[in-house]
Amino acid sequence: MATTVRRAVVNLPAAPLGPENPLPPLRTPAAPPVLDPRDRADLPRDMARQLGHRPLRTVLPTRLLDGYGRERTPTVLDAVVIENARLRVTVLPGLGGRIHSLHHIPTGRELLHRNPVLQPAAFALNGAWFSGGIEWNIGATGHTTLSCAPLHAALVPGPDGSTMVRLWEWERLRDLPFQVDLWLPDDSDFLHVGVRIRNPHEQSAPVYWWSNIAVPETPDTRVLVPADEAWHFGYDQALTRVGVPEAGGLDHTYPLRSEYPADHFYELPDDARRWIAALDADGHGLAQTSTDLLRGRKLFRWGHGRGGRRWQEWLNGPGDGGYAEIQAGLARTQLEHVPLEAGAAFSWLESYGPLSADPAAVHGRDWAAATEEAAARLEEALPRGVVEEAYAAWLPHADTEPGEVLAAGSGWGALEVLRGGYRLPGTPFATAAIGDQQSPWRELLEHGTLPKPDGIPGPTPVSPPWRDMLETADADPHTEYHLGIAQWHADDRAQAVRSWERGLECGPAPRWPLLRCLAVAAEESGRADHAADLYAEAFADLGGPGAGDLAASQEGTALLAALARETVEAHLSADRPGVARALLAGLPAAIRERGRFRLLLARALVAEGDTGAAREIFDAGFEVADLREGAGILGELWASVSDEPLPDAYDFRMRPPQE
């Protein structure tokens, strides 16, 4: 059977993403993990050098996605299906190019964890992310900001007359274009994935890439990888070298044998074939292998503890069997970024398919025998030389221009190509893709002026060329607002504050955007009282004359909720719980009753000493849809209102309570 590519749909219960948060993210929602410099002394030199290399201070220029809820309704998602007689691959171009399903036709086995729901959760760098399938993580440590974003997709002629599905976009955190080419040779059990990241700029760029593969998790699922050592990274933020498969008397290659979530980054020998597999009790499962550039391999486990199981239910719905993640990346660990020189590119090939091995060997106590068995069966199914040959065959097609368009991504790449005049064969960013968010910046590029918005200010490009253009444009409140954001991103925070203060002096305009930025700056400098005053002024200006009914539109509701949340949190930080509670009481009921705002009310009540009323909020039940991975606020607040054990519904703890 010849390979076919067709459009399709996937029907899932899904919680809508909601609009973007209109407030510029001047802080990262969660601080990136950073090792103590003293802990780097015994690390391999290249690893120590790449740890902490240019960590993010913000997720600018992207915006946060935090407006989703927990109510799921039947939803139709556009998909692309690549299929031959052996494998059926379902891709979601509108959701980061996620591979939703990898179905092995002869055996009827689903090789991936195919999530039965689409439930956004606050795991991505900019918020919304969902579990399951294979995702392409580019940008910085964490899940990509493109997790729930549309990618460009089209058909491209591939090796041996095949047809590839190309996915591509402009990754904005690091300002880099990338592509992912998917093709399935006729009668092959393995999907090939060609990846290329290009740096079109005149300076080097830090690159992060991890392919994350969610695999079904059972008590007997074992992860196999050609390594005898690993780097263990838990939620205590410590990186420790451990043995494989056992450490502390526990065989951690079985994800469900550990109680708490953790990462294991495997130390593959330099000459070893790059592969990782997850096999069940009968020795069946999925294998991923690649060319040598993609050196890293990792296991992420949720563990069998209450918190890990609660997260599984939170992400996948009740009754689902759960998943573990096997992953492949450019570096040893996800704490590292690899420099990509100016004008250069990284490219490699990955392959995904079924693997079956002798279960007695796979689950035996002899680790060497288990990995040798899996490696031998992989070599039979897909020899290492075939992967190298497939990579060599793909490379000449990486520049081939796409044909039939399957899906459209954003217009940001088109804007950057227009500004920089870049030539990027194979990944066209057509000017026609420039939309409403990019149009004002095209005006600045071509005419030197930035149009004033009709309503809420849009996103800000923050790279040095855009900052230079803003500095030479006519000064007005809107231009100073965007200039300050670009300066803040460049870590010129004093100048950013001066720009925002100048904007307030420039003339009549909505003051809240500038006041809110100044409030964040005050918080970051440790001036909690001043920050609360500025937030209060911004919130009052937002509801002042001419503001209209903010709750009448999705974007207006998103703005009101976002600014209200930050303002309440600022008052709590400034020890003004009464003011915070009064502000909450004045919000529209649809916002006030959200789980996040119920949590804020409970915090205010505890701060005022009314633990009984706060306990009533817990007893009534609430869900914080945008609860972040690793957040301990629910457990901490519960301890303030009760001596009883933390109820299961609120137990998202990722490490032992006594830590």
Side-chain angles (χ1 to χ4, degrees), residues 478-569:
H478 184 57
T479 302
E480 296 289 353
Y481 163 78
H482 286 292
L483 174 58
I485 293 169
Q487 291 166 332
W488 183 271
H489 175 265
D491 209 29
D492 190 354
R493 298 193 165 187
Q495 190 58 54
V497 167
R498 284 192 285 272
S499 294
W500 294 324
E501 289 174 341
R502 279 199 308 269
L504 289 174
E505 299 166 357
C506 276
R511 294 167 55 83
W512 66 262
L514 296 155
L515 289 166
R516 182 265 175 178
C517 290
L518 288 168
V520 174
E523 278 187 318
E524 292 294 285
S525 63
R527 296 177 294 159
D529 286 326
H530 185 47
D533 291 341
L534 288 167
Y535 266 120
E537 191 177 349
F539 194 76
D541 184 71
L542 182 65
D549 184 3
L550 282 171
S553 69
Q554 267 201 331
E555 189 179 27
T557 300
L559 173 59
L560 181 60
L563 189 56
R565 172 181 171 175
E566 291 189 7
T567 304
V568 168
E569 289 174 339

Side-chain angles (χ1 to χ4, degrees), residues 127-142:
W129 170 87
F130 62 102
S131 63
I134 305 172
E135 58 178 303
W136 319 111
N137 285 300
I138 181 174
T141 302

Side-chain angles (χ1 to χ4, degrees), residues 347-394:
S347 61
W348 65 89
L349 184 91
E350 304 179 45
S351 299
Y352 296 83
L355 185 66
S356 293
D358 177 7
V362 166
H363 297 287
R365 292 190 59 82
D366 188 332
W367 174 248
T371 56
E372 287 168 7
E373 164 66 11
R377 301 292 78 76
L378 177 60
E379 187 65 19
E380 289 176 359
L382 185 69
R384 185 177 188 178
V386 170
V387 175
E388 297 290 346
E389 291 167 4
Y391 174 62
W394 165 70

Side-chain angles (χ1 to χ4, degrees), residues 69-119:
R70 297 281 300 166
E71 184 176 344
R72 298 186 287 266
T73 57
T75 303
V76 177
L77 304 172
D78 290 332
V80 175
V81 173
I82 311 167
E83 184 174 5
N84 65 11
R86 312 287 299 174
L87 211 58
R88 184 184 308 122
V89 185
T90 304
V91 186
L92 304 176
L95 290 165
R98 182 80 59 100
I99 295 181
H100 174 65
S101 170
L102 205 60
H103 182 79
H104 189 232
I105 295 169
T107 61
R109 290 200 299 268
E110 174 58 48
L111 303 179
L112 302 175
H113 169 67
R114 184 173 57 191
N115 198 331
V117 302
L118 177 60
Q119 177 57 61

Side-chain angles (χ1 to χ4, degrees), residues 1-5 81-89 104-106 158-164 182-192 381-382 386 390:
M1 173 182 171
T3 300
T4 61
V5 181
V81 173
I82 311 167
E83 184 174 5
N84 65 11
R86 312 287 299 174
L87 211 58
R88 184 184 308 122
V89 185
H104 189 232
I105 295 169
D160 303 323
S162 62
T163 298
M164 298 190 296
L182 312 171
W183 85 100
L184 184 57
D186 295 347
D187 298 319
S188 173
D189 279 323
F190 282 81
L191 172 73
H192 292 321
L382 185 69
V386 170

